[in-house]
Amino acid sequence: MRLLAKSLFQRVAGRRRYQRLFRVVHRAALIGLNFGVDNYLRSGELRVLDLVREHSPPGAVVFDVGANIGGWCREVVHSWPRATIYAFEPAKDAFAELTEAASDSVRCINMALSDESGRTMLHSVPGMPELRSLVHRDLGSHGLKMSEYELVETGTIDEFCSERGIPSIDLLKIDAEGHELAILRGAAGMLRARRIAFIQFEFGGANIDSRTYLRDFVSLLTPDYKIMRVLRDGLVDVHYSEIEEIFVVSNYFASLISL
């Protein structure tokens, strides 16, 4: 049976007439692998939050980098009431909504995290605040253009933790539209000292524009961290090879300990 299946596959593989079929199969496989889901309510991120909470102290320190108006942040407050949350959001209008809705356990910071301190441009597509990024993205294939910007302050995790006297971070969650690797590089000291227990970061189409690859994250975080991909009901190990470079939005998880 196995030989028969292999023979049949060889007859259709690489054939022009079957390309539409293979495209359908490919897209279905990506959905099955949990790629293309950018809503934290459906992506499995809340299940990851539960796992982290089970392995962290009640009064944990959580960094929400790219907090936007605080949707994910509110989930942390609800499920982890004793945690202290630092919510970073550089866009002034989103920051205003974030602070208005924030509880006492949330420290709202109007700043973008990066690999250096200073000031830089935050680019955006008119009417689509969810696409804001420090990376000027080429979105022409989607019929969009980043034609608006605002000047924002930047800082690093290492500097911020040093200035605030924060010795460790229990969960670092990053959603920065392609700027995730720079943010992690700005935490080089904390990473070397193994003072960040868990990291969740988004990876996808924005990383094409920032010219960053999954391999870069693997190189930066291993061997100290075990890297996994977030599924709707848990995590799956990432064993890196070129086939893992899929520029469709997904969330990855790095852990200092085995879960």
Side-chain angles (χ1 to χ4, degrees):
M1 181 64 72
R2 188 175 296 176
L3 290 175
L4 177 60
K6 183 178 180 180
S7 176
L8 289 172
F9 181 74
Q10 287 174 342
R11 291 183 184 181
V12 300
R15 305 289 184 174
R16 180 176 178 180
R17 66 182 298 182
Y18 297 111
Q19 290 306 294
R20 183 176 295 180
L21 169 64
F22 283 122
R23 281 188 175 274
V24 171
V25 171
H26 180 231
R27 289 173 181 172
L30 289 176
I31 294 171
L33 290 166
N34 208 35
F35 286 93
V37 183
D38 60 359
N39 185 322
Y40 66 90
L41 296 173
R42 297 186 292 109
S43 64
E45 294 176 64
L46 298 186
R47 174 59 182 147
V48 169
L49 183 59
D50 289 339
L51 288 172
V52 171
R53 192 177 66 251
E54 291 169 6
H55 293 82
S56 302
V61 173
V62 177
F63 275 32
D64 183 5
V65 183
N68 197 5
I69 61 174
W72 183 87
C73 194
R74 286 190 290 274
E75 295 291 338
V76 180
V77 171
H78 175 73
S79 61
W80 208 346
R82 291 177 60 187
T84 299
I85 306 157
Y86 293 87
F88 297 84
E89 175 52 49
K92 289 181 175 57
D93 57 352
F95 183 75
E97 290 191 56
L98 173 67
T99 54
E100 185 176 343
S103 67
D104 293 340
S105 61
V106 180
R107 279 71 164 157
C108 300
I109 316 296
N110 189 203
M111 179 173 68
L113 289 178
S114 188
D115 54 357
E116 61 182 5
S117 298
R119 305 183 81 189
T120 191
M121 298 296 185
L122 179 68
H123 306 275
S124 63
V125 175
M128 302 187 74
E130 68 275 10
L131 295 179
R132 285 173 173 147
S133 177
L134 298 187
V135 180
H136 190 276
R137 301 188 60 191
D138 180 357
L139 297 170
S141 61
H142 299 281
L144 302 173
K145 185 177 182 180
M146 284 190 148
S147 57
E148 296 181 349
Y149 66 88
E150 63 179 289
L151 195 61
V152 299
E153 301 292 331
T154 65
T156 72
I157 288 177
D158 281 345
E159 291 171 347
F160 185 85
C161 289
S162 176
E163 291 168 1
R164 298 290 183 105
I166 300 171
S168 62
I169 301 169
D170 295 283
L171 173 59
L172 167 60
K173 178 257 189 187
I174 311 173
D175 181 357
E177 296 297 317
H179 204 64
E180 292 81 4
L181 187 66
I183 291 167
L184 288 173
R185 286 173 173 161
M190 295 284 284
L191 292 173
R192 280 195 303 270
R194 297 170 62 88
R195 292 183 177 178
I196 304 177
F198 302 107
I199 303 167
Q200 180 188 309
F201 62 92
E202 189 177 89
F203 186 87
N207 296 88
I208 297 174
D209 298 281
S210 62
R211 302 297 192 269
T212 53
Y213 305 92
L214 186 59
R215 182 179 65 182
D216 297 322
F217 291 90
V218 172
S219 297
L220 180 66
L221 296 173
T222 56
D224 288 339
Y225 289 85
K226 180 179 181 181
I227 299 179
M228 295 158 277
R229 193 161 47 76
V230 177
L231 302 177
R232 290 173 60 186
D233 59 352
L235 300 162
V236 62
D237 292 353
V238 171
H239 302 286
Y240 183 80
S241 69
E242 288 86 349
I243 201 171
E244 300 293 333
E245 298 288 359
I246 300 172
F247 293 97
V248 179
V249 66
S250 187
N251 277 277
Y252 290 83
F253 186 75
S255 172
L256 278 177
I257 65 172
S258 297
L259 296 178

